[in-house]
């Protein structure tokens, strides 16, 4: 496997995410201009999504022209270096449009399909979550760790929903199965931030089915480097048409995945 300079890539990803976050913050005032839709009428994309992705891609190509890119808004390209950037230029687009303070820039670097660097910049709070493989996770440079929660009954668990009505019906049914067994459910609208909030203990767990690689690319590494566990529950039943990403404090991971699996039998 290609080995890369983790320090250099972490510094570059952090710098690019910060610059993209400033573009998103500056665009907040014109969020509702030039809005388009993607998979459904509620799956939005704004000119700020595109401007952020264009900046991120430009900076990557300036610094690492041989690297590959996987981008939410269509900038994907093959690379030759063995390193691939996975970018969500604005995760939580609906929140951004409404001014609901939960949207972020998410940037991961993968080698051999495994994330080795991850950065999530929370635009509203100007908080920077970061991790490099084997080196722990940080929030604004300070080490973070998951809550260590062990029991589901007092666990605060986040989830999210897709856009298609039939998928939302299944996702709602799954939440209805989970809700009685946990402390409470939160639905903030940004997978990248949900994952970072598990990593720093603001949440004990998170699950969502049908999210995209760029939504979870950085956040799953940040959870793992904060001592948490991440993985997938197979999507092979009426309620689980798609694999479910699960992230949690390590002691909670098995109880949460068992609950999800049992909810769909
Ligand atoms: C969002 C995800 C979130 C999901 C939302 C939406 P987007 O990404 O981060 O977890 O529940 O429906 O898909 O589309 O705002 O970049």
């Amino acid at each position: 496997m290609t080995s890369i300079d983790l320090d250099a890539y972490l510094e570059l990803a952090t710098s690019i995410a910060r610059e993209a976050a400033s573009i998103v913050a500056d665009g907040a005032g014109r969020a509702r201009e030039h809005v388009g839709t993607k998979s459904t009428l509620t799956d939005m994309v704004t000119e700020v999504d595109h401007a952020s992705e264009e900046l991120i891609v430009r900076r990557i190509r300036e610094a690492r022209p041989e690297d590959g890119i996987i981008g939410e808004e269509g900038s994907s390209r093959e690379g030759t270096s063995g390193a691939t950037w996975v970018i969500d230029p604005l995760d939580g687009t609906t929140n951004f449009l409404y001014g609901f303070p939960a949207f972020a820039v998410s940037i991961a670097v993968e080698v051999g399909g495994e994330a080795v660097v991850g950065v999530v910049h929370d635009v509203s709070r100007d908080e920077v979550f970061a991790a490099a493989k084997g080196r722990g996770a940080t929030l604004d440079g300070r080490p973070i760790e998951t809550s260590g929660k062990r029991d589901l009954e007092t666990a605060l668990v986040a989830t999210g929903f897709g856009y298609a009505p039939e998928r939302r019906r299944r996702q709602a049914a799954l939440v209805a199965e989970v809700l009685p067994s946990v402390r409470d459910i939160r639905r903030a609208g940004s997978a990248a931030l949900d994952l970072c909030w598990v990593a720093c203990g603001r949440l004990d767990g998170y699950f969502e089915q049908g999210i995209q690689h760029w939504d979870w690319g950085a956040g799953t590494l940040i959870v793992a480097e904060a001592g948490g566990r991440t993985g997938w529950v197979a999507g092979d039943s009426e309620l689980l048409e798609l694999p479910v990403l699960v992230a949690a404090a390590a002691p909670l991971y098995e109880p949460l995945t068992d609950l999800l699996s049992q909810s769909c039998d």
Side-chain angles (χ1 to χ4, degrees):
M1 178 190 297
T2 306
S3 64
I4 64 172
D5 181 337
L6 291 180
D7 292 329
Y9 268 87
L10 181 58
E11 183 179 350
L12 179 59
T14 303
S15 168
I16 294 173
R18 182 183 303 114
E19 192 174 1
S22 66
I23 286 178
V24 174
D26 293 346
R30 60 178 198 279
R32 300 198 182 204
E33 297 173 15
H34 311 298
V35 178
T37 58
K38 296 190 288 190
S39 61
T40 68
L41 276 178
T42 55
D43 184 1
M44 320 295 282
V45 59
T46 72
E47 68 167 5
V48 175
D49 292 80
H50 290 297
S52 175
E53 183 154 315
E54 285 162 14
L55 177 280
I56 294 168
V57 169
R58 187 178 339 122
R59 291 290 184 256
I60 293 170
R61 299 193 66 175
E62 286 167 353
R64 295 281 191 275
E66 296 79 24
D67 290 359
I69 296 173
I70 297 172
E72 178 172 11
E73 305 309 341
S75 58
S76 298
R77 64 192 294 273
E78 291 293 323
T80 57
S81 67
T84 301
W85 295 71
V86 183
I87 59 179
D88 190 338
L90 173 46
D91 185 50
T93 299
T94 302
N95 292 343
F96 171 71
L97 278 168
Y98 278 80
F100 187 87
F103 45 92
V105 175
S106 178
I107 297 176
V109 179
E110 294 184 352
V111 173
E114 180 187 16
V116 293
V117 164
V119 177
V120 175
H121 195 129
D122 179 333
V123 178
S124 304
R125 294 168 191 78
D126 197 24
E127 289 183 327
V128 180
F129 295 87
K133 185 77 175 169
R135 303 195 181 175
T138 58
L139 166 53
D140 292 341
R142 297 182 303 276
I144 55 175
E145 59 183 14
T146 59
S147 67
K149 175 67 70 176
R150 312 188 73 87
D151 61 287
L152 275 174
E153 296 76 13
T154 60
L156 188 61
V157 177
T159 191
F161 308 117
Y163 296 102
E166 187 44 42
R167 176 173 299 177
R168 292 168 70 82
R169 201 183 325 278
R170 288 192 179 92
Q171 290 170 326
L174 183 57
V175 171
E177 292 290 325
V178 171
L179 184 58
S181 300
V182 298
R183 177 192 296 274
D184 206 350
I185 290 282
R186 293 289 183 270
R187 194 286 195 258
S190 166
L193 289 178
D194 288 332
L195 289 162
C196 289
W197 293 339
V198 170
C200 69
R202 291 176 187 166
L203 292 168
D204 298 308
Y206 160 79
F207 68 93
E208 186 165 354
Q209 54 179 314
I211 58 167
Q212 305 295 329
H213 191 172
W214 43 74
D215 292 320
W216 54 259
T220 49
L221 175 67
I222 293 169
V223 169
E225 288 298 322
R229 282 186 63 186
T230 68
W232 297 85
V233 171
D236 55 4
S237 66
E238 172 57 25
L239 288 189
L240 287 192
E241 51 157 349
L242 294 168
V244 182
L245 173 63
V246 182
L252 189 72
Y253 181 81
E254 294 291 346
L256 182 54
T257 51
D258 290 346
L259 174 62
L260 289 165
S261 301
Q262 290 153 18
S263 299
C264 304
D265 290 344

